[in-house]
Amino acid sequence: MSAIRFENVSKRYKTGHEALRSADFSLESGEMAFLTGHSGAGKSTLLKMLTLVEHPSRGEVWVGNQNLSKLSRYQIPDYRRTLGVVYQNHRLLGDRNVYQNIALPLQIAGYSRDHIGRRVRAALDRVGLLAAESAFPQALSSGEQQRVGIARAIVHKPRLLIADEPTGNLDPRLSLDIMHLFEQFNRVGTTVLIATHDVALIKRMKHPVLILDKGRLRRV
Ligand code: ADP
């Protein structure tokens, strides 16, 4: 079963702009792929179909055995908990420290304090920031902030990790470090889809690439 399957997906915004045109692709479970294309090509739109921020105008999006357009209002929170999402600007809360930022999704899901403590520290360990748990985000470098963003995305062990320009604010060396971190999660079985316009970075890594051009998608 594919981890992600887009079947003839088109997205026309209310403005009339067609951001995706008959997109067809699948990503197998355990794969890691890049999604690339010029600014405005439709990368964020495609990812928003997966996070259910936007919905297709036509076609179907499947994640595992779930047709996303068939999810009921009550199934959506459970579905979202199977995803880890990393943003370009990491979206950390400035009035909470690193530990609290990462713990938040688990607190919302109602886990015990002990369980949360173990999971948060395991996540921080994976991104190499165990020593930073009491720091506030603004005291960290931009690379470290993005690592915290990644720890928050993986703390609930998602089966699918998606990232929208996760290295957009980082220099080339830090960007490569962050991509290697995504590879580590992929190696232990997480399916990873990363939108980036950084072609040089993609070329250095050996993963399938989905190219969007004015809403049309092809896989190379
Ligand atoms: P990318 O992430 O590749 O830069 P986007 O998916 O953000 O591309 O945008 C694709 C196109 O859709 C762009 O032309 C953008 O202006 C348009 N677009 C994105 N979001 C909206 C929206 N909410 N309403 C109308 N047009 C939008």
Side-chain angles (χ1 to χ4, degrees), residues 13 15 17 19 37-46 48 54 164:
Y13 284 109
T15 55
H17 184 83
H38 57 89
S39 175
K43 302 182 294 296
S44 299
T45 299
L46 190 150
K48 284 176 183 165
E54 295 287 353
D164 196 356

Side-chain angles (χ1 to χ4, degrees), residues 35-39 43 165 168 195-200 202:
L35 173 65
T36 191
H38 57 89
S39 175
K43 302 182 294 296
E165 299 284 357
T196 174
H197 62 260
D198 192 339
V199 178
I202 291 174

Side-chain angles (χ1 to χ4, degrees), residues 102-119:
I102 299 171
L104 198 59
L106 299 179
Q107 285 163 346
I108 292 169
Y111 288 105
S112 73
R113 264 177 67 167
D114 275 4
H115 182 82
I116 292 173
R118 279 196 303 278
R119 295 279 283 271

Side-chain angles (χ1 to χ4, degrees), residues 18-198:
E18 203 167 20
L20 285 180
R21 298 162 192 251
S22 307
D24 254 317
F25 80 96
S26 60
L27 198 62
E28 299 311 310
S29 204
E31 262 191 311
M32 170 163 166
F34 291 111
L35 173 65
T36 191
H38 57 89
S39 175
K43 302 182 294 296
S44 299
T45 299
L46 190 150
L47 297 186
K48 284 176 183 165
M49 309 272 129
L50 294 169
T51 51
L52 296 176
V53 173
E54 295 287 353
H55 303 279
S57 313
R58 215 162 1 99
E60 289 180 356
V61 178
W62 289 74
V63 173
N65 61 5
Q66 292 180 301
N67 177 348
L68 298 193
S69 61
K70 295 270 164 28
L71 291 183
S72 74
R73 208 144 50 94
Y74 307 101
Q75 290 172 308
I76 289 174
D78 278 344
Y79 163 70
R80 287 219 174 98
R81 277 195 272 277
T82 68
L83 303 179
V85 187
V86 177
Y87 305 96
Q88 173 168 357
N89 66 358
H90 53 71
R91 299 194 187 175
L92 299 173
L93 302 172
D95 59 348
R96 292 170 195 244
N97 68 22
V98 164
Y99 181 98
Q100 291 162 338
N101 265 284
I102 299 171
L104 198 59
L106 299 179
Q107 285 163 346
I108 292 169
Y111 288 105
S112 73
R113 264 177 67 167
D114 275 4
H115 182 82
I116 292 173
R118 279 196 303 278
R119 295 279 283 271
V120 171
R121 291 190 180 100
L124 276 173
D125 192 25
R126 300 242 163 77
V127 301
L129 279 178
L130 254 185
E133 70 170 58
S134 313
F136 282 81
Q138 53 276 27
L140 302 175
S141 69
S142 48
E144 288 167 338
Q145 289 174 358
Q146 191 54 290
R147 284 171 183 270
V148 177
I150 294 171
R152 183 188 50 190
I154 55 94
V155 72
H156 58 299
K157 302 186 186 169
R159 61 187 162 147
L160 177 59
L161 186 55
I162 63 187
D164 196 356
E165 299 284 357
T167 62
N169 296 327
L170 305 177
D171 67 35
R173 199 187 57 80
L174 283 177
S175 297
L176 194 60
D177 287 350
I178 293 291
M179 289 303 182
H180 286 150
L181 198 50
F182 282 113
E183 278 184 327
Q184 282 177 30
F185 295 114
N186 177 242
R187 251 178 244 129
V188 294
T190 309
T191 307
V192 180
L193 179 61
I194 302 174
T196 174
H197 62 260
D198 192 339

